[in-house]
Structure formats: C-alpha cells, structure tokens
C-alpha cells in the first residue's frame, strides 16, 4: 500500500514549507511540529520521505557511507576508492517513545570484546537514519536523555557509543522531525532551542476545507494505490524542485547586510544565545534556494524568522511560544539601511507618525487574565465565587517520596534506574541494564583453566555476565489537593497559596514529574486536572481556580485517594507524592471533622506534605493535627520557599555557634 501523498494534504502551508526547507538544508536542525491530535502531523512527515532524492551508499556498509566521501572512521570501513555501491531511496526511520538507549545509539557486545578482543558494534536507529529522516512522534514523551542524544547527534552529525572503556563513532546526519501535542506536556526550553524550526498546526475551522480533508481521506482508504497515483505527478514535480534547490544551495550568497538584518531581528526578540541567529541564517539561505534566488533577501529573512524564533522567546517554562507579526515587521523595517539621497534629512516615512492611525496597545488586562474581583455565583456553596491570580514564583523546597523506587527516570526521588551511579551488582538471575565489567571478569576468571584457556584474554560465557545495579532519580506523580473554600479567599490567602503551588509546579516541571490537581469547596471535591505531564495545563487551571463556600475536607481527601488508587493501576511504577494545601478546617456537614479523620486513614501509606495555610496570631493548629493523622510532613506556607528553609538553618546554626 502506497503512503498518503504529500501534495494531497490539505492546508498547513507553514508545516509544508518547514519540512521542505529542512529537506533542502539538513543543517537547519530539523522541525518540531506542535499541534492538537488529528491534524495530519504524522501523515505529512511520513509522506515527505517519498519526495527526497535517493542516496548512493557503499555495498554491505551498515552505516550508509557515501562512496564519494565515505566516513574515514566508519565501523564497517575503511572503504577504498572505487568501492562497489548502489542507489537506494531515502529512509524514514521512526523512533518509538519507549525505545531503549541501546536501540537508539547502538550497542557493544561486551562478551566478544573480552573474549576475542574485537569491537562488535550493532548499529542503532541513528545509524539507520543517516542521510535520511528520523521521525519521533510524541517527542515530548521521550526521556530527556534520549532527546539530548538525538539533538546532539543531529547537531554534530555523529553518534558515539562509549561503554566500559570501548568507544565507537559513526556518521549520523539526518533531518530530525518531532511531533507533539502540547496538551500532554512541553519540552524543556533547552531542548526546544535545539530544534531548528517549529510550526504550530491546528485543524481548519473552514467547513469547505474540512469537507475536502474528509473526502480525500475516504478516497485514499477506499483505494490507496489509485489515490496515490492521482497525485504522483504533483509529488514528482515537488521532488524535482527540492532536488534543484539542493543543487543551488551551496551557491546562494548571504551578504553582510542580510546578516546584520538577521542579528537585529534576533536581538529585537531578546532570544538567548546565538543559535537563533545561526538557524535563521541557514533557513534564509535554504528559502532563497527554494525560491530560485542566488542571494538572500528580506523576504527570506522574514520567512526564516517566523519559523526559527517562536520557540526561542520563552522566558518562563509556562510561557507559550510564538512571536508577534507586528514586532517582526517593525524589526525588519528598523534593520533596513537608511535610504540615500538629497531628501533624507527628514523623517523616512517608514513608520506611522503621531497623526497616523494604527493599532494602539490595549492598556487593559490581557485576554484570559483572571479577575481579582467577584464574579457570578457558581452554585457550589452560598458564598460568591472569587478568583485571585498568583504572584511571582520562587525556588521551592524539594520534597521527595520516601524510600527507593523503580519508576520512570526523573529528578526527584531515589530510584533504581539504568543510569546513575553504580551501587552494586545485580544477582546473576537478573539480566537487565548495562554489563558490569569488573564483576563479569571476576565471575569468568576462576573458570579459565577448566575451559582450556591458556593464552591472553578471557573466555567469557553468557553465564558469566553480570549487570550493574544503578541508583538515580525518578519522576513521581505529584497530586495537589487544594482547599478552595471561602476561608481561603476571605483572608486574602489564595494569592500566597497559588504562588506557592505554582512554584511547586515549576519544580515538578524541572524534575519531570506527572502532576494532577484536586480541589474542594462548597459541598464536594472535583478532579480539576487528571494526572498528566503537562504542568502548563495544571498552572492554567490553578490560575483560574475560584474560591468560595464551606470546606469539605473529607471529600477532598477521598477524591485524592480515589485518584491515586486509579493511577496506581494505570502507572504502577510511578510513586505518588500528595501535596495537601489547607488550613485543616472541616466545615461541610455535621460530622465533617470525623469524616475527615476517617478519610485521612486511607492515605497513611502515601508520602504526603501538608502545606499549612493558616496565618495570624491566633492559630488553631488543625493542619498540624491533620498531618499527624496522615503521618505527613507539616510545612507552613511561609516555609515552602527554599530560601526560607536556608534562612532557618542559618539562624539555628548561628544560635548553636
């Protein structure tokens, strides 16, 4: 069955252009495609491979060496001049989200290295993608260390495997394309910056275009080959244009005036580092070649900036990527050289004067900004609903789950992982992780005489292999259970509460945790955000969280227990950390206190932090009492900041001295 044709995809011109430019110049650094599900992201990427020119490769070389300029250190080499070669289509290699590191970068056969003294390297997906496309669907769900490996290989053009003192390196030049749904979590800004271009895609709201999408998809499913044949001519024409642009690319000139424009545009958007300038320049050159021009123009820079800068403007992990078209146009205009001539002593006329009409910045609150005043009643209790925004975040204390887990790699709690420091050797029955060289030698050495080994080296058998036991950090499920009752809003504490929780969310983002949000007020509790890796979604829900009504503490604890019970079935390896944000009051129902104590009994096995929101001179101490029932750590709201803890330690240390 033939794949869906590239030219048959309806709409999405930015994505189409970004993919074409990355194909023309792989040095651009690949494309990150962000968009909601069902927007044909994967369809376009898979169809792109059919447009790329074929590649000449050395016969029997597993690393796709170019016969004209083979890799001098190719593990299958060295390849002599005139070596037999053949032509094959460009490859599209897909990397599964759950792929192991050995599958991605390749693996070394330690048994052969010890017994025969040879390096037996098994190529991974990076080798298979050399001189082609490497596609990662849901790249935001990929482990950080694998994303780092991919991006490093894409930037350096080489992949290196180093293990137990043995090192193998091979060429790995490919176009890296990642797709992601932002609802499922963002990439860290450092990783976002490593992608050359980014494109936001969304489904069309035009009924006619949506009808055409459905019509073409149904036609393809009814007769895939016949449908593809109908677009074969258009695909072939586009492939020819890409190949022509690749030939023109080396001769495209990037004059100093264009470089200055690029520098001024990047500076105007206050992007960090110099990668934005370099990627924008490469993209502008590729676009000029695509347009058939021999020199970069302002239009090429405009297009390049729209694709290369949006994801590099983030100042905060919760900031949405994007650039202002008006600011881009103003930056391009300001970067133009001044006009020459006898009439250039007055205003240039490039921008609006004081009497010109034009867009005026809105001095009111931004759209979507929560109001600090009361709004309409919600029906969840008799008190009016209030919404209060959060203040500036701070560096929060690090709270960890007790004990040692075996969950997904992250940066919070202790866990047995396949990376990290070696703390021992796994039992011989456990054959998982990386081999432990010293332990393997010790296991094999006593048997050498019985095995008839008399010369140098060791005869290592499968039973001799020992594997390292490593301790690292895992990511956890951080479930926030937040009291949103009237007492929180009435005493103007919600702003401090939201600031503290938002700071903890930022910490969870940095430590690669999964997060969820339960709120309780009035007479009931609700799961405001099911557990997800998208801390951005949690921050948005928290920012708009209203307050009002009584305090159904028991219902909040019961809902938290239910969520954790369900998640233990869905994701049993991920250990939970419950952050209960409350002043400890229970005022909903006649037996509210007794029910709250009973509900707390369901959570005694969960590592819990009780964030005490009670303030003022007269305190009831209910949150501390609740922490005792839960076996939890009691943390006053003022002590959530890391600096507060450090100050307390310094104060106590000074007293002791």
């Amino acid at each position: 069955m033939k794949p869906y044709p590239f030219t048959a995809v309806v709409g999405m011109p930015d994505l189409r252009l970004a993919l074409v430019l990355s194909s023309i110049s792989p040095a651009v650094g690949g494309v990150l495609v962000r968009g909601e599900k069902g927007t044909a992201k994967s369809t376009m990427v898979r169809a792109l491979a059919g447009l790329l020119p074929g590649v000449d490769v050395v016969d029997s070389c597993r690393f796709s060496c170019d016969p004209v300029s083979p890799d001098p250190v190719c593990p299958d080499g060295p390849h002599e001049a005139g070596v037999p070669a053949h032509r094959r289509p460009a490859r599209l290699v897909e990397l599964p989200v759950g792929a192991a590191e050995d599958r991605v970068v390749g693996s070394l056969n330690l048994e052969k290295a010890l017994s025969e003294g040879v390096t037996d390297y098994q190529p991974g997906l990076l080798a298979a993608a050399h001189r082609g496309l490497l596609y990662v669907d849901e790249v935001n769900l990929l482990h950080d260390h694998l994303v780092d490996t991919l991006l490093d290989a894409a930037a350096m053009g080489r992949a290196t495997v180093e293990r137990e003192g043995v090192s193998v390196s091979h060429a790995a030049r490919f176009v890296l394309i990642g797709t992601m749904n932002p609802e499922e979590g963002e990439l860290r800004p450092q990783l976002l910056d490593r992608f050359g271009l980014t494109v936001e895609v969304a489904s069309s709201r035009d009924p006619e275009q949506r009808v055409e999408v459905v019509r073409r998809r149904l036609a393809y499913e009814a007769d895939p080959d016949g449908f593809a044949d109908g677009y074969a001519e258009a695909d072939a024409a586009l492939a020819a244009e890409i190949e022509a642009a690749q030939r023109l690319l080396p001769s495209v000139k990037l004059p100093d005036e264009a470089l200055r424009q690029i520098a001024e545009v990047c500076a105007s958007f206050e992007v960090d580092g110099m990668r934005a300038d370099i990627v924008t320049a490469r993209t502008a050159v590729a676009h000029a070649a695509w347009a058939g021009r021999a020199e970069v123009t302002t239009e090429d820079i405009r297009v390049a900036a729209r694709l290369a800068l949006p994801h590099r403007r983030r100042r905060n992990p919760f900031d949405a990527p994007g650039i202002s078209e008006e600011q881009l146009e103003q930056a391009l205009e300001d970067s133009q050289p001044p006009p020459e001539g006898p009439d250039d002593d007055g205003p240039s006329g490039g921008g609006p004067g004081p009497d010109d009409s034009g867009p005026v910045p809105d001095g009111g609150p931004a759209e979507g900004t929560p109001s600090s005043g009361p709004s309409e009643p919600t029906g969840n209790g008799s008190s009016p609903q209030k919404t209060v925004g959060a203040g500036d975040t701070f560096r929060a204390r690090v709270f960890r789950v007790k004990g040692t887990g075996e969950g997904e790699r992250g940066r919070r709690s202790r866990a047995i992982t396949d990376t990290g420091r070696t703390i021992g050797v796994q039992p011989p029955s456990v054959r998982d992780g990386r081999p432990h060289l010293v332990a393997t030698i010790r296991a094999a050495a006593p048997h050498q005489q019985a095995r008839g080994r008399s010369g140098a080296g060791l005869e290592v058998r499968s039973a001799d292999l020992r594997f390292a036991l490593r301790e690292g950090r895992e990511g956890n499920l951080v479930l926030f259970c937040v009291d949103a009752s009237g007492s929180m809003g009435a005493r103007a504490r919600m702003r401090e509460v939201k600031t503290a929780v938002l700071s903890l969310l930022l910490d969870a983002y940095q430590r690669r945790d999964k997060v969820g949000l339960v709120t309780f007020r009035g007479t009931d509790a609700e799961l405001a955000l099911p557990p997800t890796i998208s801390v951005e979604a949690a921050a948005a829900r928290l920012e708009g969280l209203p307050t009002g009504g009584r305090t159904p503490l028991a219902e909040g604890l019961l809902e938290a227990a239910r969520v954790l019970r369900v998640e233990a079935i869905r994701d049993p390896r991920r250990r939970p950390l419950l952050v209960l944000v409350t002043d400890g009051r229970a005022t909903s129902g006649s037996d509210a206190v007794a029910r709250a104590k009973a509900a707390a009994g369901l959570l005694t096995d969960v590592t819990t932090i009780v964030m005490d929101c009670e303030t003022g001179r007269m305190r009831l101490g209910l949150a501390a009492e609740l922490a005792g029932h839960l076996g939890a750590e009691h943390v006053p709201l003022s002590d959530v900041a890391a600096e507060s803890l450090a100050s307390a330690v310094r104060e106590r240390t000074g007293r002791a001295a």
Side-chain angles (χ1 to χ4, degrees):
M1 185 176 71
K2 295 181 179 179
Y4 196 91
F6 189 86
T7 54
V9 177
V10 179
M12 293 189 291
D14 286 346
L15 175 55
R16 190 186 309 269
L17 180 60
L19 294 175
V20 167
L21 295 181
S22 290
S23 301
I24 294 171
S25 175
V28 164
V31 183
L32 175 65
V33 189
R34 298 163 42 91
E36 57 195 18
K37 53 187 176 294
T39 50
K41 301 187 297 293
S42 301
T43 299
M44 286 199 74
V45 173
R46 293 189 177 102
L48 178 66
L51 302 180
L52 301 184
V55 294
D56 294 323
V57 298
V58 174
D59 288 349
S60 72
C61 178
R62 298 172 296 169
F63 301 88
S64 302
C65 275
D66 186 346
V68 177
S69 57
D71 183 5
V73 294
C74 174
D76 284 353
H79 303 298
E80 303 294 337
V83 65
H86 65 279
R87 191 170 184 84
R88 65 159 175 80
R91 288 176 180 163
L92 170 68
V93 176
E94 297 193 36
L95 192 154
V97 170
E101 185 176 9
D102 287 352
R103 181 74 183 97
V104 176
V105 299
S107 59
L108 296 173
N109 190 324
L110 183 60
E111 186 176 345
K112 279 192 174 182
L114 289 174
S115 60
E116 302 176 19
V118 297
T119 301
D120 181 26
Y121 176 69
Q122 299 300 318
L125 296 176
L126 295 183
H130 179 45
R131 304 175 69 195
L133 303 173
L134 182 62
Y135 172 46
V136 187
D137 193 14
E138 305 295 351
V139 65
N140 51 326
L141 303 183
L142 199 66
H143 288 301
D144 282 353
H145 72 287
L146 288 183
V147 178
D148 283 327
T149 299
L150 291 178
L151 295 174
D152 284 342
M156 303 300 296
R158 300 199 67 81
T160 302
V161 179
E162 295 185 358
R163 179 165 301 171
E164 309 296 350
V166 181
S167 178
V168 175
S169 176
H170 64 84
R173 294 185 299 275
F174 50 82
V175 178
L176 177 62
I177 302 175
T179 59
M180 59 174 283
N181 183 353
E183 294 177 356
E184 297 173 340
E186 290 281 0
L187 281 170
R188 289 186 289 122
Q190 298 92 325
L191 300 182
L192 271 176
D193 183 58
R194 298 297 296 276
F195 277 95
L197 310 178
T198 186
V199 178
E200 295 275 347
V201 297
S203 56
S204 173
R205 298 296 181 257
D206 179 10
E208 292 300 324
Q209 196 172 76
R210 295 174 73 94
V211 166
E212 185 61 23
V213 170
V214 175
R215 181 184 292 118
R216 293 189 186 186
R217 188 67 202 185
L218 293 178
Y220 173 74
E221 292 175 356
D223 182 11
D225 293 342
F227 182 84
D229 290 342
Y231 288 88
E233 186 176 343
D235 272 8
L238 182 58
E241 293 174 2
I242 292 175
E243 191 169 5
Q246 289 176 333
R247 291 195 299 268
L248 178 61
L249 182 70
S251 61
V252 174
K253 295 180 180 178
L254 181 64
D256 288 345
E257 294 79 5
L259 273 175
R260 181 171 295 278
Q261 272 193 288
I262 291 171
E264 292 190 12
V265 167
C266 292
S268 70
F269 282 103
E270 299 180 351
V271 296
D272 294 329
M274 295 300 300
R275 185 174 286 116
D277 303 62
I278 296 171
V279 172
T280 303
R282 289 172 174 168
T283 308
V285 172
H287 187 265
W290 173 242
R293 287 190 285 268
E295 186 172 300
V296 171
T297 66
T298 299
E299 176 58 25
D300 300 317
I301 298 172
R302 177 183 290 106
V303 172
R306 288 179 54 244
L307 297 174
L309 299 185
H311 58 305
R312 294 187 164 90
R313 292 201 63 224
R314 299 179 69 180
R315 286 288 174 269
N316 181 307
F318 301 140
D319 290 344
I323 61 174
S324 165
E325 292 287 346
E326 291 80 6
Q327 184 179 353
L328 174 58
E329 291 302 323
Q330 187 64 49
L332 288 171
E333 184 176 334
D334 293 344
S335 64
Q336 293 280 4
E340 298 179 359
D343 299 328
D344 61 352
D345 54 343
S348 64
D355 297 329
D356 292 336
S357 60
V360 179
D362 186 359
E367 183 179 356
T369 302
S371 168
S372 60
S375 60
E376 70 279 356
T378 64
N380 193 5
S382 57
S383 299
Q385 173 180 326
K386 296 182 179 180
T387 303
V388 180
D392 294 333
T393 57
F394 49 77
R395 187 168 66 89
R397 286 176 54 183
V398 181
F399 299 105
R400 307 191 190 278
V401 177
K402 301 174 184 177
T404 303
E406 297 180 353
E408 300 292 339
R409 271 177 289 191
R411 299 182 176 181
R412 182 171 297 277
S413 305
R414 292 174 53 190
I416 301 301
T417 63
D418 54 1
T419 59
R421 65 187 183 97
T422 301
I423 60 173
V425 180
Q426 309 240 37
S429 58
V430 179
R431 304 176 65 81
D432 187 27
R434 292 186 175 182
H436 192 290
L437 179 61
V438 175
T440 299
I441 293 175
R442 286 177 177 172
H447 306 291
Q448 296 307 299
Q449 186 174 359
R451 295 172 183 174
R453 188 79 178 189
S454 58
L458 292 174
E459 181 177 338
V460 180
R461 297 180 180 177
S462 178
D464 301 327
L465 291 178
R466 298 293 184 267
F467 295 85
L469 182 66
R470 297 174 182 268
E471 182 181 277
R473 295 288 179 182
E474 66 177 0
N476 299 112
L477 166 59
V478 182
L479 181 63
F480 293 91
C481 186
V482 180
D483 180 358
S485 62
S487 62
M488 303 293 288
R491 299 189 180 183
R493 290 181 290 182
M494 187 49 76
R495 179 175 295 278
E496 289 75 14
V497 167
K498 287 187 176 182
T499 301
V501 175
L502 195 62
S503 300
L504 289 172
L505 277 173
L506 181 59
D507 180 70
Y509 171 88
Q510 294 167 340
R511 299 184 187 281
R512 311 308 290 164
D513 293 316
K514 208 172 179 180
V515 296
L517 178 63
V518 171
T519 64
F520 56 94
R521 65 188 182 91
T523 60
D524 204 359
E526 68 169 336
L527 179 59
L529 181 71
T532 174
I533 66 169
S534 177
V535 294
E536 295 81 5
R541 298 289 176 90
L542 176 71
E543 189 70 14
L545 178 66
T547 61
R550 294 182 176 275
T551 309
L553 178 58
E555 283 70 19
L557 295 174
L558 289 172
E559 179 64 11
R562 184 195 69 80
V563 173
L564 294 179
R565 185 171 61 252
V566 172
E567 279 300 304
I569 299 173
R570 290 178 177 170
D571 194 356
R573 295 180 59 205
R574 192 180 291 269
R575 297 189 296 158
L577 173 66
L578 176 62
V579 180
L580 178 59
V581 185
T582 181
D583 56 9
R585 299 189 181 194
T587 61
S588 181
S590 57
D591 56 346
V593 176
R595 288 189 298 108
K597 291 180 179 179
L602 301 175
L603 296 165
T604 54
D605 294 334
V606 177
T607 300
T608 303
I609 308 297
V610 175
M611 189 191 300
D612 189 352
C613 304
E614 191 174 27
T615 57
R617 294 184 178 180
M618 299 297 295
R619 303 189 184 187
L620 301 178
L622 297 177
E625 182 180 342
L626 176 61
H629 286 295
L630 289 165
E633 181 180 356
H634 172 251
V635 181
L637 183 62
S638 58
D639 289 350
V640 174
E643 184 58 32
S644 300
L645 179 63
S647 299
V649 171
R650 285 195 297 268
E651 183 180 348
R652 293 179 185 179
T653 305
R655 265 194 218 138

